Amino acid sequence: MLQCYPASAEDALEFGKIKQLLSAQCRSEIAKARVKQLKPYSKLEAIEKALFQVEEFKNILQSANHFPLDFTQNAEKEIQLLQLEGARLSGQQLRCIRDLANCMGSILKWQKQNLNLYPYINTLTDKIIFEQKIVDIIEKVIDENGQVKDQASKNLIQIRLELIDQRNQLRKTFETILRKYAKQGYLADIAEGYINNRRTLAILAEHKRIIKGIWHGESESQRIIFIEPEETISLNNEIAALERAEYKEIQKILLDCTNDIAPYQNQLHLYYQCIGLLEFIRAKALLAIELQAHKPILNPHPSLHLVNAYHPLLWLSHQQKQKKIVPTQVSLDKNTRILIISGPNAGGKTVSMKTIGLLQMMLQSGLLVSASPQSEFGIFKQLMIHIGDTQSMEHELSTYSAHLRDMKYFMDFANGKTLFFIDELGSGSDPNLGGAFAEAIVEELLRKNAYGVITTHYLNLKVMASKNKGIVNAAMNFDEEHMEPLYQLVIGKPGSSYTFAIAQRSGLSPHIIQRAKALTDRGHFKLDKMLLQTEQQEIQLQHKVDELNQLLKENYQLKKEWEHLSNKERWRQQQETLKLQNEIKKEELEYLREMERNFKQIIIDWKKSENKAEILKQAELVLFKKRQVQINQSAANKTNKAYETIGGTAKVGDLVRNKINYQVGVLSEIKDKYALVTIGKLPFKVSLQDWIVVQKRSKEKASKKH
């Protein structure tokens, strides 16, 4: 187990509140008992196994694969009774045992179906064998309501049949008597009662001597007498005798059933413990889902590397208030053993320190942690805490004396496997002397190779951190303009206490503030001022970085939009090109069909005519030149209607027409040996000697030409 100092270390880090949240997720008493006994481990294998089990159960809960963990009753008493000779379980207790066995059977069946998916969960049942006989023995005699079945024995079914017969006979006899005396007016308004397990008549007091039978009592007003009629006494006696016989038979059946399942007591104990452990793991998985916790990377050596970590209790509180939480990034390793956190009061120093300690304690207790899965946790053997007011009335210790008592323990027992947390080191004494003691304590902890976090306002510790290898400054950022803490831990620089800035904002008299500055040691004030200026400059720089990141984000979005529009335009051009190609294909198809008809006619003429040369000329004219001439002539006529020839040297931007096929386009570029002509929206690489400058005809000229 992880050694914790002092005994209140769990409460100081608020681990007790985490256990309360975990207990709230438990459905069974045995699981809640495990939560109370939960202590941090110190062996890597045990921690790793526990974390994998929780991670697997978390995956099960977040999938559609239902895990049959349905037994949540407390069966500890029932299992213990099975050890006692002559013990007899009730029908409800036997049903509880049956449900326990059935649940174990369902779990083993589920694990067989998911054999290789959840290896760490499956190892929990390696030594367990399901005994179907337990279920069969109990179900033979006990029904779903925990009552003994009629068929549990021949004697019982006979007794119950007789009881049914006698009760029916009693009912008929009594109802006959009831009608008789009701007609005679002897009965009270309530007519009947049920006293001492006997059905009685409610007789008006003035008629009590008329009715023969046994008196069983009277009302408080003595106006009504409850009488068992003489005609039903023997029937009631018979029923009472049968009921006693039924009870004895039931007790005998329950005793026999208990004796039959007693040999399986050890097996049932294993079932109960296994199901309780699974319920405990389920609760840890549910808590991990609630906290959005993950399994980090484990390191066998003492170290710590937190990525986007947050205090789980603070996160839950912020979730309810819909507030944003600032994650923490911290590393402790051989080169950075001790972290000195400084900054203003109420700026989050203690919360940051508690976050680190609480997550480490949670991890070593087998709980998933509220940090990125890229975080890395080493394993520590000792955890030492000094947080809050530690004065002791019982031992007449002042705050500073109690502080020194804890520091003595740290000095005596800290080593390279110790993780410590000290809040406000050196406080409670003269600032100069306290600062000197604080510096000496840090030196000794560093010499002992211990790992830890210290919060302080002492400037000498901030200076010490900047000069000693293994100690690193850290600061809680503070917005001086709005006088608000930013709760952001920044590694690598000390923080200002903002003493004078806070005093000024609070409305304290300026001359008092100036006097305090004058009384403050000059070097001390100058250093704090430098820290303040550096911190504010860094905050301003961070704001600039945030603005730049926002601009980059917007630029990226605009780039995506431009690419989308560009792709859309490219697609449109492709569609137009395909449409144009389809029109050309259609014309070519019509041309080929016409050529086919002409070719057939030429073959016929060839066979009939003796002048073969003339037929060949006609074929050449019809099949080749005529088609091209017709196409060119049609294009020329169409172009001449819309355009008139200008001639001259072509310039970029002029309308030009092809001399052969009469296509018209815009001259968009002229290069050495070629030019680019845009027809429609498609550019074509051409030779300028095949093109002539034209211009559009006016509407009047176009109509005259027509």
Side-chain angles (χ1 to χ4, degrees):
M1 291 294 175
L2 177 68
Q3 296 179 4
C4 296
Y5 175 86
S8 60
E10 284 191 10
D11 293 332
L13 290 176
E14 299 181 286
F15 185 61
K17 294 181 180 179
I18 295 296
K19 290 171 71 172
Q20 289 176 8
L21 292 174
L22 181 58
S23 183
Q25 299 289 357
C26 297
R27 300 174 299 178
S28 65
E29 293 301 321
I30 187 172
K32 291 181 179 180
R34 285 183 175 274
V35 174
K36 290 180 181 179
Q37 298 167 3
L38 181 62
K39 296 291 182 183
Y41 309 103
S42 59
K43 290 187 177 181
L44 176 65
E45 295 79 9
I47 297 170
E48 191 170 41
K49 181 181 178 181
L51 293 177
F52 271 117
Q53 288 170 349
V54 180
E55 182 76 4
E56 286 185 356
F57 218 114
K58 178 184 170 186
N59 293 336
I60 292 170
L61 292 172
Q62 292 178 326
S63 70
N65 193 357
H66 171 69
F67 190 83
L69 188 61
D70 303 319
F71 183 82
T72 58
Q73 302 173 60
N74 187 352
E76 190 170 353
K77 178 182 176 182
E78 287 77 2
I79 294 171
Q80 288 177 349
L81 284 173
L82 291 176
Q83 291 180 305
L84 303 178
E85 187 176 352
R88 179 177 56 237
L89 299 184
S90 68
Q92 295 293 340
Q93 289 174 318
L94 287 169
R95 190 188 67 167
C96 176
I97 294 294
R98 184 211 61 180
D99 292 345
L100 170 64
N102 270 334
C103 182
M104 194 71 251
S106 298
I107 290 171
L108 292 173
K109 183 179 179 181
W110 182 92
Q111 289 180 330
K112 189 175 181 180
Q113 294 170 347
N114 299 272
L115 189 60
N116 300 317
L117 295 178
Y118 308 102
Y120 286 90
I121 292 293
N122 291 345
T123 56
L124 296 174
T125 59
D126 283 346
K127 298 180 180 179
I128 294 179
I129 300 172
F130 176 60
E131 292 289 351
Q132 181 64 39
K133 288 183 180 179
I134 299 172
V135 177
D136 294 340
I137 290 169
I138 297 173
E139 287 189 342
K140 185 178 179 181
V141 297
I142 303 298
D143 64 16
E144 287 299 319
N145 298 317
Q147 302 299 317
V148 176
K149 294 180 178 179
D150 295 342
Q151 299 80 9
S153 74
K154 292 181 179 179
N155 195 22
L156 180 63
I157 195 170
Q158 181 63 35
I159 292 170
R160 286 182 172 174
L161 287 173
E162 290 181 19
L163 268 172
I164 291 171
D165 182 60
Q166 291 295 321
R167 284 169 179 161
N168 285 334
Q169 190 174 343
L170 174 65
R171 177 180 55 78
K172 292 176 182 178
T173 303
F174 191 88
E175 288 176 355
T176 300
I177 297 169
L178 195 66
R179 287 192 295 271
K180 172 185 173 182
Y181 290 128
K183 289 180 180 179
Q184 294 176 356
Y186 297 159
L187 300 181
D189 292 339
I190 58 175
E192 62 177 302
Y194 200 80
I195 300 176
N196 300 327
N197 294 325
R198 299 284 182 128
R199 195 173 179 185
T200 61
L201 296 170
I203 304 297
L204 295 171
E206 56 267 29
H207 305 301
K208 62 184 178 181
R209 299 193 181 278
I210 299 174
I211 309 301
K212 294 182 179 181
I214 300 174
W215 289 19
H216 283 276
E218 59 186 2
S219 66
E220 291 183 3
S221 64
Q222 297 182 345
R223 294 181 60 191
I224 301 174
I225 307 299
F226 295 98
I227 300 175
E228 178 183 0
E230 186 179 45
E231 297 90 335
T232 63
I233 292 174
S234 61
L235 286 171
N236 276 326
N237 290 339
E238 181 66 24
I239 289 171
L242 288 170
E243 286 176 345
R244 287 192 296 271
E246 180 191 33
Y247 175 77
K248 289 180 181 179
E249 184 64 20
I250 287 173
Q251 298 306 305
K252 179 180 179 299
I253 292 168
L254 292 176
L255 180 61
D256 291 343
C257 185
T258 303
N259 290 335
D260 288 342
I261 63 171
Y264 301 103
Q265 190 269 342
N266 291 333
Q267 198 75 4
L268 288 166
H269 179 73
L270 283 176
Y271 292 176
Y272 188 57
Q273 293 299 321
C274 179
I275 289 173
L277 178 56
L278 286 167
E279 174 68 16
F280 175 58
I281 295 170
R282 174 185 176 275
K284 291 198 287 186
L286 287 171
L287 180 62
I289 293 171
E290 183 181 5
L291 297 177
Q292 294 188 5
H294 304 280
K295 177 186 173 298
I297 301 168
L298 292 184
N299 189 334
H301 307 293
S303 61
L304 198 61
H305 177 61
L306 299 185
V307 179
N308 292 333
Y310 49 86
H311 195 290
L313 300 175
L314 186 63
W315 186 84
L316 286 176
S317 174
H318 279 39
Q319 283 288 101
Q320 293 174 354
K321 299 175 184 177
Q322 296 184 339
K323 290 173 62 178
K324 184 180 179 182
I325 191 169
V326 180
T328 300
Q329 327 287 334
V330 173
S331 291
L332 294 177
D333 52 35
K334 291 182 178 180
N335 298 320
T336 308
R337 291 183 179 274
I338 299 176
L339 195 66
I340 304 288
I341 303 179
S342 51
N345 288 326
K349 300 191 299 295
T350 304
V351 172
S352 295
M353 182 169 63
K354 283 186 174 183
T355 299
I356 300 167
L358 179 57
L359 293 186
Q360 186 68 38
M361 185 170 281
M362 287 175 64
L363 176 107
Q364 293 198 213
S365 299
L367 296 172
L368 303 188
V369 293
S370 49
S372 167
Q374 280 73 46
S375 300
E376 187 172 333
F377 283 75
I379 307 302
F380 294 90
K381 301 291 185 181
Q382 293 178 313
L383 194 64
M384 299 181 181
I385 312 291
H386 178 85
I387 297 177
D389 187 358
T390 55
Q391 66 178 335
S392 172
M393 298 298 180
E394 181 183 353
H395 298 97
E396 298 182 353
L397 292 176
S398 67
T399 300
Y400 191 63
S401 297
H403 177 81
L404 291 179
R405 177 202 60 194
D406 287 349
M407 293 306 100
K408 180 181 183 303
Y409 184 91
F410 284 29
M411 299 302 100
D412 291 344
F413 298 103
N415 55 45
K417 295 183 179 180
T418 299
L419 180 62
F420 66 85
F421 299 93
I422 306 175
D423 192 23
E424 301 295 350
L425 176 60
S427 62
S429 178
D430 176 86
N432 292 324
L433 298 179
F437 271 114
E439 192 168 338
I441 289 168
V442 175
E443 285 179 351
E444 182 64 12
L445 289 170
L446 183 63
R447 189 186 69 79
K448 286 178 171 287
N449 295 323
Y451 298 81
V453 180
I454 297 170
T455 68
T456 187
H457 288 287
Y458 286 138
L459 283 171
N460 63 310
L461 290 184
K462 303 175 190 179
V463 174
M464 179 187 182
S466 64
K467 293 182 178 180
N468 288 270
K469 185 179 179 181
I471 309 176
V472 175
N473 270 310
M476 300 305 301
N477 272 348
F478 190 84
D479 187 345
E480 187 181 12
E481 181 180 351
H482 299 95
M483 295 307 296
E484 293 178 351
L486 299 176
Y487 303 109
Q488 184 178 23
L489 181 65
V490 180
I491 308 297
K493 66 156 195 171
S496 168
S497 297
Y498 287 87
T499 304
F500 296 113
I502 293 174
Q504 186 175 352
R505 290 281 180 167
S506 67
L508 198 64
S509 175
H511 78 273
I512 294 177
I513 297 173
Q514 291 301 322
R515 178 57 180 161
K517 288 181 179 179
L519 292 173
T520 304
D521 178 73
R522 189 171 184 82
H524 184 110
F525 173 67
K526 185 176 181 180
L527 178 58
D528 191 68
K529 186 176 181 181
M530 288 174 59
L531 290 174
L532 190 151
Q533 291 174 346
T534 303
E535 192 169 333
Q536 291 307 307
Q537 288 173 359
E538 185 167 341
I539 292 173
Q540 292 173 4
L541 179 61
Q542 185 61 46
H543 288 164
K544 295 294 183 183
V545 170
D546 292 341
E547 290 177 7
L548 180 59
N549 288 334
Q550 182 61 30
L551 290 173
L552 289 172
K553 185 178 179 181
E554 292 174 359
N555 183 59
Y556 176 73
Q557 186 63 31
L558 290 172
K559 180 183 176 184
K560 286 182 66 177
E561 291 177 2
W562 179 85
E563 288 177 347
H564 174 72
L565 292 173
S566 177
N567 291 335
K568 189 175 181 180
E569 177 62 22
R570 188 180 296 111
W571 179 85
R572 192 185 63 78
Q573 291 183 4
Q574 289 174 350
Q575 294 301 310
E576 289 185 356
T577 302
L578 289 172
K579 185 178 179 181
L580 181 60
Q581 290 175 348
N582 289 336
E583 291 178 355
I584 294 172
K585 292 292 184 181
K586 185 177 179 181
E587 291 180 359
E588 289 180 352
L589 184 60
E590 291 177 354
Y591 170 71
L592 289 173
R593 287 174 178 170
E594 179 66 23
M595 186 175 68
E596 182 184 10
R597 289 193 294 271
N598 292 333
F599 187 68
K600 289 180 179 179
Q601 184 62 44
I602 288 171
I603 292 174
I604 295 171
D605 293 343
W606 175 271
K607 292 179 180 179
K608 294 180 180 180
S609 177
E610 295 179 358
N611 190 354
K612 306 297 184 184
E614 183 63 26
I615 297 300
L616 286 174
K617 287 180 181 180
Q618 291 178 4
E620 183 181 357
L621 179 62
V622 170
L623 298 178
F624 299 102
K625 291 184 180 180
K626 184 178 180 182
R627 172 62 179 168
Q628 189 60 47
V629 169
Q630 288 176 345
I631 292 172
N632 290 346
Q633 187 60 45
S634 175
N637 293 336
K638 187 175 180 181
T639 303
N640 288 333
K641 290 179 182 178
Y643 300 93
E644 61 179 340
T645 303
I646 297 177
T649 304
K651 304 186 296 298
V652 173
D654 286 346
L655 285 172
V656 291
R657 187 199 71 200
N658 189 277
K659 296 178 180 178
I660 299 172
N661 59 20
Y662 289 88
Q663 284 186 313
V664 176
V666 177
L667 183 60
S668 54
E669 187 178 350
I670 301 176
K671 294 195 175 181
D672 295 338
K673 296 181 180 180
Y674 66 90
L676 287 179
V677 173
T678 302
I679 300 174
K681 292 189 177 181
L682 298 177
F684 295 91
K685 188 175 178 182
V686 302
S687 175
L688 268 181
Q689 64 184 10
D690 297 331
W691 298 76
I692 186 170
V693 180
V694 297
Q695 70 176 10
K696 283 189 176 181
R697 293 182 181 274
S698 63
K699 292 184 179 180
E700 184 179 349
K701 289 183 177 181
S703 61
K704 289 181 179 180
K705 184 72 176 176
H706 182 68

